[in-house]
Amino acid sequence: MNTCISLFMALSMHIGLDGNYNSIHPHARCTVDNNITGIFYNSEDSISAYVGREIRFDEYSSLEIGLVSGYEYADIVPMIRYKVGTWFVSPAYEKIKSTGEENIGIVFGWEIGGK
């Protein structure tokens, strides 16, 4: 499938993390031969850019893997997101500035748009 540009809107919930995170994510993506690039408003209230690959399992489910920028704790971080229909789940990481504490959590979300 070749589509360039698709617009999305996602709502997310951050589980297992202590920070106060943004849960509204406008998102623009270009998909060419299962290669994906895009930008979105991330959970830290910043713009992130990413590049990666979408692995389709069937008509309704896929796995996205790649690299993403725009997060406070590192310039570039790995990205992985599993999607079923309009729902997604992704691992999450945070490092709390004041204490140096590190937490691992999960982001659950719902995304509409595209195609």
Side-chain angles (χ1 to χ4, degrees):
M1 165 193 272
N2 292 328
T3 57
C4 207
I5 293 276
S6 296
L7 299 177
F8 300 88
M9 178 62 73
L11 302 176
S12 66
M13 182 171 52
H14 301 77
I15 307 297
L17 304 175
D18 290 334
N20 184 21
Y21 293 103
N22 170 49
S23 62
I24 301 172
H25 312 283
H27 176 190
R29 166 180 284 182
C30 177
T31 303
V32 177
D33 297 329
N34 296 329
N35 296 303
I36 55 176
T37 59
I39 58 171
F40 65 98
Y41 190 64
N42 72 28
S43 299
E44 295 180 349
D45 296 316
S46 296
I47 300 296
S48 284
Y50 66 90
V51 61
R53 185 127 177 112
E54 180 180 35
I55 302 163
R56 303 259 343 141
F57 299 118
D58 56 38
E59 184 179 346
Y60 299 103
S61 63
S62 65
L63 181 68
E64 299 171 353
I65 56 173
L67 298 172
V68 63
S69 69
Y71 289 95
E72 204 169 284
Y73 61 88
D75 292 334
I76 305 288
V77 296
M79 172 188 83
I80 185 166
R81 185 169 83 146
Y82 178 67
K83 292 174 53 179
V84 176
T86 58
W87 299 95
F88 66 87
V89 63
S90 183
Y93 167 86
E94 73 178 351
K95 185 170 185 176
I96 301 169
K97 282 186 192 181
S98 60
T99 64
E101 180 183 350
E102 298 178 35
N103 292 318
I104 295 176
I106 296 176
V107 176
F108 288 105
W110 178 70
E111 184 174 63
I112 58 170
K115 306 226 183 339

